[in-house]
Amino acid sequence: MDAQNWVAMGYVKGAFGIKGWLKVKADTEYTDSLLDYPEWRLRRDRDVRTLALESGKVAGDELQVKFVGIDDRDAAALLRGYTVEIARADFAPAAEDEYYWADLVGMTVQNREGADLGKVVNLMDTGAHDVLVIEGGFGQKLIPFVSHYIDEVDGANRVITADWGVDY
């Protein structure tokens, strides 16, 4: 698989205990979501390792995980700072009218008049709803990802149509 088929989902904070356990900060809606995936890819710069999850649990707002073959604190400590990635192909299908953020990033956003507002570079969770962060020829735009402003998400063509003016 190439890099675009892997999605960053958190990072390794450091070693935990003496038996190879790690503390992981999950960047997922639910902290325990990462435990649903039996294989994780850890990446730091050009160093990439694919590891099998042996065990894991939620501890406060982080995960404590154990990988097959990482059996002591020294081996675990070497993984501090690695990004946790999950294969996009392993994601459960999204429900109707729901989308993974990873699928929206990179999509082109056009308004109803066909003007190209730019590409989705990120999303923000405001608590009330998600917001698309768009970068393009008209500058940065923040568009609430709600049905009032989003007319269509065309996944096949990677285009989002929005009720949003170029001068907003």
PDB file of all heavy atoms in Angstrom, residues 23-52:
ATOM      1  N   LYS A  23       1.922   4.120  25.757  1.00  0.00           N
ATOM      2  CA  LYS A  23       0.834   5.091  25.887  1.00  0.00           C
ATOM      3  C   LYS A  23       0.631   5.725  24.518  1.00  0.00           C
ATOM      4  O   LYS A  23       1.597   6.146  23.881  1.00  0.00           O
ATOM      5  CB  LYS A  23       1.182   6.172  26.908  1.00  0.00           C
ATOM      6  CG  LYS A  23       1.335   5.657  28.322  1.00  0.00           C
ATOM      7  CD  LYS A  23       1.611   6.772  29.291  1.00  0.00           C
ATOM      8  CE  LYS A  23       3.015   7.301  29.069  1.00  0.00           C
ATOM      9  NZ  LYS A  23       3.418   8.326  30.039  1.00  0.00           N
ATOM     10  N   VAL A  24      -0.630   5.773  24.075  1.00  0.00           N
ATOM     11  CA  VAL A  24      -0.956   6.301  22.750  1.00  0.00           C
ATOM     12  C   VAL A  24      -2.048   7.348  22.879  1.00  0.00           C
ATOM     13  O   VAL A  24      -3.058   7.128  23.553  1.00  0.00           O
ATOM     14  CB  VAL A  24      -1.422   5.159  21.804  1.00  0.00           C
ATOM     15  CG1 VAL A  24      -1.950   5.716  20.491  1.00  0.00           C
ATOM     16  CG2 VAL A  24      -0.293   4.169  21.565  1.00  0.00           C
ATOM     17  N   LYS A  25      -1.851   8.479  22.215  1.00  0.00           N
ATOM     18  CA  LYS A  25      -2.875   9.511  22.107  1.00  0.00           C
ATOM     19  C   LYS A  25      -3.620   9.254  20.808  1.00  0.00           C
ATOM     20  O   LYS A  25      -3.042   9.313  19.720  1.00  0.00           O
ATOM     21  CB  LYS A  25      -2.235  10.906  22.088  1.00  0.00           C
ATOM     22  CG  LYS A  25      -3.189  12.030  21.758  1.00  0.00           C
ATOM     23  CD  LYS A  25      -4.262  12.211  22.796  1.00  0.00           C
ATOM     24  CE  LYS A  25      -5.073  13.455  22.488  1.00  0.00           C
ATOM     25  NZ  LYS A  25      -6.480  13.280  22.704  1.00  0.00           N
ATOM     26  N   ALA A  26      -4.905   8.926  20.911  1.00  0.00           N
ATOM     27  CA  ALA A  26      -5.727   8.642  19.730  1.00  0.00           C
ATOM     28  C   ALA A  26      -6.398   9.921  19.244  1.00  0.00           C
ATOM     29  O   ALA A  26      -7.014  10.636  20.032  1.00  0.00           O
ATOM     30  CB  ALA A  26      -6.781   7.594  20.071  1.00  0.00           C
ATOM     31  N   ASP A  27      -6.267  10.209  17.963  1.00  0.00           N
ATOM     32  CA  ASP A  27      -6.950  11.345  17.340  1.00  0.00           C
ATOM     33  C   ASP A  27      -8.181  10.824  16.611  1.00  0.00           C
ATOM     34  O   ASP A  27      -8.324  10.976  15.399  1.00  0.00           O
ATOM     35  CB  ASP A  27      -6.013  12.063  16.367  1.00  0.00           C
ATOM     36  CG  ASP A  27      -4.863  12.747  17.066  1.00  0.00           C
ATOM     37  OD1 ASP A  27      -5.032  13.172  18.221  1.00  0.00           O
ATOM     38  OD2 ASP A  27      -3.781  12.841  16.459  1.00  0.00           O
ATOM     39  N   THR A  28      -9.067  10.193  17.381  1.00  0.00           N
ATOM     40  CA  THR A  28     -10.290   9.609  16.842  1.00  0.00           C
ATOM     41  C   THR A  28     -11.460  10.132  17.663  1.00  0.00           C
ATOM     42  O   THR A  28     -11.277  10.641  18.773  1.00  0.00           O
ATOM     43  CB  THR A  28     -10.242   8.066  16.927  1.00  0.00           C
ATOM     44  OG1 THR A  28      -9.982   7.685  18.278  1.00  0.00           O
ATOM     45  CG2 THR A  28      -9.159   7.508  16.030  1.00  0.00           C
ATOM     46  N   GLU A  29     -12.656   9.987  17.122  1.00  0.00           N
ATOM     47  CA  GLU A  29     -13.834  10.471  17.846  1.00  0.00           C
ATOM     48  C   GLU A  29     -13.969   9.770  19.193  1.00  0.00           C
ATOM     49  O   GLU A  29     -14.269  10.400  20.199  1.00  0.00           O
ATOM     50  CB  GLU A  29     -15.090  10.251  17.004  1.00  0.00           C
ATOM     51  CG  GLU A  29     -16.340  10.808  17.650  1.00  0.00           C
ATOM     52  CD  GLU A  29     -17.567  10.714  16.753  1.00  0.00           C
ATOM     53  OE1 GLU A  29     -17.497  10.122  15.664  1.00  0.00           O
ATOM     54  OE2 GLU A  29     -18.616  11.244  17.169  1.00  0.00           O
ATOM     55  N   TYR A  30     -13.747   8.475  19.216  1.00  0.00           N
ATOM     56  CA  TYR A  30     -13.793   7.692  20.448  1.00  0.00           C
ATOM     57  C   TYR A  30     -12.410   7.129  20.699  1.00  0.00           C
ATOM     58  O   TYR A  30     -11.820   6.512  19.798  1.00  0.00           O
ATOM     59  CB  TYR A  30     -14.828   6.562  20.340  1.00  0.00           C
ATOM     60  CG  TYR A  30     -16.205   7.075  20.011  1.00  0.00           C
ATOM     61  CD1 TYR A  30     -16.726   6.936  18.727  1.00  0.00           C
ATOM     62  CD2 TYR A  30     -16.973   7.734  20.967  1.00  0.00           C
ATOM     63  CE1 TYR A  30     -17.981   7.429  18.413  1.00  0.00           C
ATOM     64  CE2 TYR A  30     -18.230   8.232  20.657  1.00  0.00           C
ATOM     65  CZ  TYR A  30     -18.729   8.080  19.381  1.00  0.00           C
ATOM     66  OH  TYR A  30     -19.969   8.573  19.062  1.00  0.00           O
ATOM     67  N   THR A  31     -11.898   7.312  21.899  1.00  0.00           N
ATOM     68  CA  THR A  31     -10.535   6.889  22.223  1.00  0.00           C
ATOM     69  C   THR A  31     -10.298   5.423  21.907  1.00  0.00           C
ATOM     70  O   THR A  31      -9.241   5.055  21.383  1.00  0.00           O
ATOM     71  CB  THR A  31     -10.241   7.165  23.709  1.00  0.00           C
ATOM     72  OG1 THR A  31     -10.436   8.562  23.966  1.00  0.00           O
ATOM     73  CG2 THR A  31      -8.818   6.802  24.075  1.00  0.00           C
ATOM     74  N   ASP A  32     -11.267   4.563  22.181  1.00  0.00           N
ATOM     75  CA  ASP A  32     -11.062   3.123  21.994  1.00  0.00           C
ATOM     76  C   ASP A  32     -11.197   2.656  20.542  1.00  0.00           C
ATOM     77  O   ASP A  32     -10.995   1.480  20.249  1.00  0.00           O
ATOM     78  CB  ASP A  32     -11.994   2.321  22.899  1.00  0.00           C
ATOM     79  CG  ASP A  32     -13.465   2.496  22.563  1.00  0.00           C
ATOM     80  OD1 ASP A  32     -13.813   3.406  21.790  1.00  0.00           O
ATOM     81  OD2 ASP A  32     -14.272   1.718  23.097  1.00  0.00           O
ATOM     82  N   SER A  33     -11.500   3.554  19.621  1.00  0.00           N
ATOM     83  CA  SER A  33     -11.690   3.161  18.214  1.00  0.00           C
ATOM     84  C   SER A  33     -10.466   2.462  17.626  1.00  0.00           C
ATOM     85  O   SER A  33     -10.605   1.538  16.826  1.00  0.00           O
ATOM     86  CB  SER A  33     -12.022   4.378  17.347  1.00  0.00           C
ATOM     87  OG  SER A  33     -13.250   4.943  17.722  1.00  0.00           O
ATOM     88  N   LEU A  34      -9.279   2.889  18.004  1.00  0.00           N
ATOM     89  CA  LEU A  34      -8.067   2.273  17.453  1.00  0.00           C
ATOM     90  C   LEU A  34      -7.935   0.807  17.832  1.00  0.00           C
ATOM     91  O   LEU A  34      -7.290   0.035  17.130  1.00  0.00           O
ATOM     92  CB  LEU A  34      -6.822   3.030  17.922  1.00  0.00           C
ATOM     93  CG  LEU A  34      -6.503   4.315  17.187  1.00  0.00           C
ATOM     94  CD1 LEU A  34      -5.298   5.003  17.822  1.00  0.00           C
ATOM     95  CD2 LEU A  34      -6.245   4.060  15.729  1.00  0.00           C
ATOM     96  N   LEU A  35      -8.551   0.419  18.934  1.00  0.00           N
ATOM     97  CA  LEU A  35      -8.451  -0.976  19.376  1.00  0.00           C
ATOM     98  C   LEU A  35      -9.214  -1.925  18.456  1.00  0.00           C
ATOM     99  O   LEU A  35      -9.054  -3.144  18.553  1.00  0.00           O
ATOM    100  CB  LEU A  35      -8.947  -1.110  20.817  1.00  0.00           C
ATOM    101  CG  LEU A  35      -8.164  -0.297  21.857  1.00  0.00           C
ATOM    102  CD1 LEU A  35      -8.789  -0.454  23.235  1.00  0.00           C
ATOM    103  CD2 LEU A  35      -6.700  -0.674  21.863  1.00  0.00           C
ATOM    104  N   ASP A  36     -10.030  -1.376  17.548  1.00  0.00           N
ATOM    105  CA  ASP A  36     -10.770  -2.200  16.585  1.00  0.00           C
ATOM    106  C   ASP A  36      -9.886  -2.713  15.454  1.00  0.00           C
ATOM    107  O   ASP A  36     -10.306  -3.569  14.683  1.00  0.00           O
ATOM    108  CB  ASP A  36     -11.920  -1.392  15.963  1.00  0.00           C
ATOM    109  CG  ASP A  36     -12.983  -1.015  16.970  1.00  0.00           C
ATOM    110  OD1 ASP A  36     -13.077  -1.662  18.029  1.00  0.00           O
ATOM    111  OD2 ASP A  36     -13.729  -0.048  16.700  1.00  0.00           O
ATOM    112  N   TYR A  37      -8.667  -2.192  15.342  1.00  0.00           N
ATOM    113  CA  TYR A  37      -7.786  -2.538  14.232  1.00  0.00           C
ATOM    114  C   TYR A  37      -6.645  -3.432  14.723  1.00  0.00           C
ATOM    115  O   TYR A  37      -5.847  -3.009  15.562  1.00  0.00           O
ATOM    116  CB  TYR A  37      -7.223  -1.264  13.585  1.00  0.00           C
ATOM    117  CG  TYR A  37      -8.322  -0.358  13.093  1.00  0.00           C
ATOM    118  CD1 TYR A  37      -8.756   0.723  13.859  1.00  0.00           C
ATOM    119  CD2 TYR A  37      -8.952  -0.608  11.885  1.00  0.00           C
ATOM    120  CE1 TYR A  37      -9.784   1.541  13.412  1.00  0.00           C
ATOM    121  CE2 TYR A  37      -9.984   0.207  11.435  1.00  0.00           C
ATOM    122  CZ  TYR A  37     -10.393   1.278  12.204  1.00  0.00           C
ATOM    123  OH  TYR A  37     -11.414   2.074  11.769  1.00  0.00           O
ATOM    124  N   PRO A  38      -6.539  -4.645  14.194  1.00  0.00           N
ATOM    125  CA  PRO A  38      -5.509  -5.580  14.667  1.00  0.00           C
ATOM    126  C   PRO A  38      -4.095  -5.249  14.177  1.00  0.00           C
ATOM    127  O   PRO A  38      -3.123  -5.701  14.753  1.00  0.00           O
ATOM    128  CB  PRO A  38      -5.965  -6.933  14.116  1.00  0.00           C
ATOM    129  CG  PRO A  38      -6.802  -6.594  12.922  1.00  0.00           C
ATOM    130  CD  PRO A  38      -7.453  -5.265  13.232  1.00  0.00           C
ATOM    131  N   GLU A  39      -3.980  -4.453  13.108  1.00  0.00           N
ATOM    132  CA  GLU A  39      -2.668  -4.110  12.568  1.00  0.00           C
ATOM    133  C   GLU A  39      -2.523  -2.599  12.495  1.00  0.00           C
ATOM    134  O   GLU A  39      -3.397  -1.908  11.963  1.00  0.00           O
ATOM    135  CB  GLU A  39      -2.503  -4.722  11.179  1.00  0.00           C
ATOM    136  CG  GLU A  39      -1.130  -4.504  10.581  1.00  0.00           C
ATOM    137  CD  GLU A  39      -0.977  -5.199   9.251  1.00  0.00           C
ATOM    138  OE1 GLU A  39      -1.316  -4.566   8.223  1.00  0.00           O
ATOM    139  OE2 GLU A  39      -0.533  -6.352   9.240  1.00  0.00           O
ATOM    140  N   TRP A  40      -1.426  -2.104  13.056  1.00  0.00           N
ATOM    141  CA  TRP A  40      -1.129  -0.674  13.030  1.00  0.00           C
ATOM    142  C   TRP A  40       0.186  -0.467  12.303  1.00  0.00           C
ATOM    143  O   TRP A  40       1.091  -1.290  12.369  1.00  0.00           O
ATOM    144  CB  TRP A  40      -0.961  -0.123  14.433  1.00  0.00           C
ATOM    145  CG  TRP A  40      -2.167  -0.150  15.322  1.00  0.00           C
ATOM    146  CD1 TRP A  40      -3.324  -0.846  15.144  1.00  0.00           C
ATOM    147  CD2 TRP A  40      -2.302   0.535  16.554  1.00  0.00           C
ATOM    148  NE1 TRP A  40      -4.171  -0.629  16.185  1.00  0.00           N
ATOM    149  CE2 TRP A  40      -3.569   0.220  17.085  1.00  0.00           C
ATOM    150  CE3 TRP A  40      -1.481   1.383  17.277  1.00  0.00           C
ATOM    151  CZ2 TRP A  40      -4.036   0.724  18.286  1.00  0.00           C
ATOM    152  CZ3 TRP A  40      -1.938   1.892  18.478  1.00  0.00           C
ATOM    153  CH2 TRP A  40      -3.200   1.572  18.964  1.00  0.00           C
ATOM    154  N   ARG A  41       0.272   0.667  11.622  1.00  0.00           N
ATOM    155  CA  ARG A  41       1.550   1.058  11.037  1.00  0.00           C
ATOM    156  C   ARG A  41       2.050   2.240  11.853  1.00  0.00           C
ATOM    157  O   ARG A  41       1.326   3.205  12.078  1.00  0.00           O
ATOM    158  CB  ARG A  41       1.378   1.441   9.572  1.00  0.00           C
ATOM    159  CG  ARG A  41       2.718   1.717   8.900  1.00  0.00           C
ATOM    160  CD  ARG A  41       2.577   1.809   7.413  1.00  0.00           C
ATOM    161  NE  ARG A  41       2.349   3.202   7.043  1.00  0.00           N
ATOM    162  CZ  ARG A  41       2.476   3.651   5.802  1.00  0.00           C
ATOM    163  NH1 ARG A  41       2.795   2.833   4.817  1.00  0.00           N
ATOM    164  NH2 ARG A  41       2.263   4.918   5.534  1.00  0.00           N
ATOM    165  N   LEU A  42       3.294   2.156  12.299  1.00  0.00           N
ATOM    166  CA  LEU A  42       3.927   3.248  13.021  1.00  0.00           C
ATOM    167  C   LEU A  42       4.962   3.873  12.103  1.00  0.00           C
ATOM    168  O   LEU A  42       5.753   3.169  11.479  1.00  0.00           O
ATOM    169  CB  LEU A  42       4.589   2.749  14.306  1.00  0.00           C
ATOM    170  CG  LEU A  42       3.661   2.066  15.312  1.00  0.00           C
ATOM    171  CD1 LEU A  42       4.434   1.699  16.577  1.00  0.00           C
ATOM    172  CD2 LEU A  42       2.467   2.923  15.661  1.00  0.00           C
ATOM    173  N   ARG A  43       4.931   5.216  12.026  1.00  0.00           N
ATOM    174  CA  ARG A  43       5.819   5.919  11.101  1.00  0.00           C
ATOM    175  C   ARG A  43       6.442   7.129  11.784  1.00  0.00           C
ATOM    176  O   ARG A  43       5.782   7.899  12.463  1.00  0.00           O
ATOM    177  CB  ARG A  43       5.040   6.388   9.868  1.00  0.00           C
ATOM    178  CG  ARG A  43       5.890   7.147   8.853  1.00  0.00           C
ATOM    179  CD  ARG A  43       5.065   7.699   7.714  1.00  0.00           C
ATOM    180  NE  ARG A  43       3.881   8.414   8.147  1.00  0.00           N
ATOM    181  CZ  ARG A  43       3.857   9.674   8.580  1.00  0.00           C
ATOM    182  NH1 ARG A  43       4.969  10.366   8.678  1.00  0.00           N
ATOM    183  NH2 ARG A  43       2.726  10.248   8.940  1.00  0.00           N
ATOM    184  N   ARG A  44       7.738   7.263  11.599  1.00  0.00           N
ATOM    185  CA  ARG A  44       8.456   8.484  11.993  1.00  0.00           C
ATOM    186  C   ARG A  44       9.470   8.741  10.900  1.00  0.00           C
ATOM    187  O   ARG A  44      10.368   7.930  10.683  1.00  0.00           O
ATOM    188  CB  ARG A  44       9.129   8.326  13.352  1.00  0.00           C
ATOM    189  CG  ARG A  44       9.831   9.609  13.789  1.00  0.00           C
ATOM    190  CD  ARG A  44      10.303   9.595  15.209  1.00  0.00           C
ATOM    191  NE  ARG A  44      11.248   8.498  15.404  1.00  0.00           N
ATOM    192  CZ  ARG A  44      11.589   8.041  16.600  1.00  0.00           C
ATOM    193  NH1 ARG A  44      11.048   8.536  17.691  1.00  0.00           N
ATOM    194  NH2 ARG A  44      12.455   7.063  16.703  1.00  0.00           N
ATOM    195  N   ASP A  45       9.282   9.840  10.206  1.00  0.00           N
ATOM    196  CA  ASP A  45      10.112  10.176   9.045  1.00  0.00           C
ATOM    197  C   ASP A  45      10.063   9.016   8.047  1.00  0.00           C
ATOM    198  O   ASP A  45       8.992   8.647   7.621  1.00  0.00           O
ATOM    199  CB  ASP A  45      11.544  10.512   9.481  1.00  0.00           C
ATOM    200  CG  ASP A  45      11.588  11.699  10.438  1.00  0.00           C
ATOM    201  OD1 ASP A  45      10.799  12.642  10.230  1.00  0.00           O
ATOM    202  OD2 ASP A  45      12.384  11.667  11.393  1.00  0.00           O
ATOM    203  N   ARG A  46      11.201   8.420   7.733  1.00  0.00           N
ATOM    204  CA  ARG A  46      11.221   7.328   6.755  1.00  0.00           C
ATOM    205  C   ARG A  46      11.155   5.948   7.397  1.00  0.00           C
ATOM    206  O   ARG A  46      11.116   4.938   6.699  1.00  0.00           O
ATOM    207  CB  ARG A  46      12.466   7.435   5.884  1.00  0.00           C
ATOM    208  CG  ARG A  46      12.385   8.635   4.960  1.00  0.00           C
ATOM    209  CD  ARG A  46      13.427   8.530   3.876  1.00  0.00           C
ATOM    210  NE  ARG A  46      13.162   9.550   2.878  1.00  0.00           N
ATOM    211  CZ  ARG A  46      14.050  10.406   2.453  1.00  0.00           C
ATOM    212  NH1 ARG A  46      15.276  10.360   2.917  1.00  0.00           N
ATOM    213  NH2 ARG A  46      13.731  11.298   1.542  1.00  0.00           N
ATOM    214  N   ASP A  47      11.197   5.907   8.728  1.00  0.00           N
ATOM    215  CA  ASP A  47      11.137   4.626   9.434  1.00  0.00           C
ATOM    216  C   ASP A  47       9.671   4.211   9.585  1.00  0.00           C
ATOM    217  O   ASP A  47       8.881   4.918  10.194  1.00  0.00           O
ATOM    218  CB  ASP A  47      11.798   4.741  10.806  1.00  0.00           C
ATOM    219  CG  ASP A  47      11.909   3.396  11.511  1.00  0.00           C
ATOM    220  OD1 ASP A  47      11.807   2.349  10.848  1.00  0.00           O
ATOM    221  OD2 ASP A  47      12.087   3.395  12.745  1.00  0.00           O
ATOM    222  N   VAL A  48       9.317   3.084   8.990  1.00  0.00           N
ATOM    223  CA  VAL A  48       7.943   2.583   9.015  1.00  0.00           C
ATOM    224  C   VAL A  48       7.947   1.158   9.543  1.00  0.00           C
ATOM    225  O   VAL A  48       8.738   0.329   9.084  1.00  0.00           O
ATOM    226  CB  VAL A  48       7.321   2.610   7.594  1.00  0.00           C
ATOM    227  CG1 VAL A  48       5.924   2.026   7.613  1.00  0.00           C
ATOM    228  CG2 VAL A  48       7.309   4.024   7.050  1.00  0.00           C
ATOM    229  N   ARG A  49       7.074   0.889  10.516  1.00  0.00           N
ATOM    230  CA  ARG A  49       6.956  -0.453  11.091  1.00  0.00           C
ATOM    231  C   ARG A  49       5.489  -0.838  11.131  1.00  0.00           C
ATOM    232  O   ARG A  49       4.643  -0.047  11.547  1.00  0.00           O
ATOM    233  CB  ARG A  49       7.496  -0.473  12.517  1.00  0.00           C
ATOM    234  CG  ARG A  49       8.923  -0.019  12.623  1.00  0.00           C
ATOM    235  CD  ARG A  49       9.288   0.267  14.061  1.00  0.00           C
ATOM    236  NE  ARG A  49      10.605   0.867  14.115  1.00  0.00           N
ATOM    237  CZ  ARG A  49      11.529   0.527  14.987  1.00  0.00           C
ATOM    238  NH1 ARG A  49      11.268  -0.383  15.894  1.00  0.00           N
ATOM    239  NH2 ARG A  49      12.691   1.115  14.959  1.00  0.00           N
ATOM    240  N   THR A  50       5.193  -2.053  10.725  1.00  0.00           N
ATOM    241  CA  THR A  50       3.838  -2.574  10.820  1.00  0.00           C
ATOM    242  C   THR A  50       3.824  -3.571  11.969  1.00  0.00           C
ATOM    243  O   THR A  50       4.617  -4.513  11.988  1.00  0.00           O
ATOM    244  CB  THR A  50       3.404  -3.246   9.510  1.00  0.00           C
ATOM    245  OG1 THR A  50       3.502  -2.279   8.463  1.00  0.00           O
ATOM    246  CG2 THR A  50       1.969  -3.734   9.604  1.00  0.00           C
ATOM    247  N   LEU A  51       2.930  -3.328  12.941  1.00  0.00           N
ATOM    248  CA  LEU A  51       2.891  -4.140  14.153  1.00  0.00           C
ATOM    249  C   LEU A  51       1.491  -4.687  14.385  1.00  0.00           C
ATOM    250  O   LEU A  51       0.498  -4.026  14.083  1.00  0.00           O
ATOM    251  CB  LEU A  51       3.331  -3.316  15.365  1.00  0.00           C
ATOM    252  CG  LEU A  51       4.753  -2.755  15.313  1.00  0.00           C
ATOM    253  CD1 LEU A  51       4.982  -1.783  16.449  1.00  0.00           C
ATOM    254  CD2 LEU A  51       5.771  -3.882  15.363  1.00  0.00           C
ATOM    255  N   ALA A  52       1.446  -5.872  14.980  1.00  0.00           N
ATOM    256  CA  ALA A  52       0.166  -6.502  15.326  1.00  0.00           C
ATOM    257  C   ALA A  52      -0.173  -6.145  16.768  1.00  0.00           C
ATOM    258  O   ALA A  52       0.660  -6.294  17.673  1.00  0.00           O
ATOM    259  CB  ALA A  52       0.259  -8.010  15.163  1.00  0.00           C
TER     260      ALA A  52
END
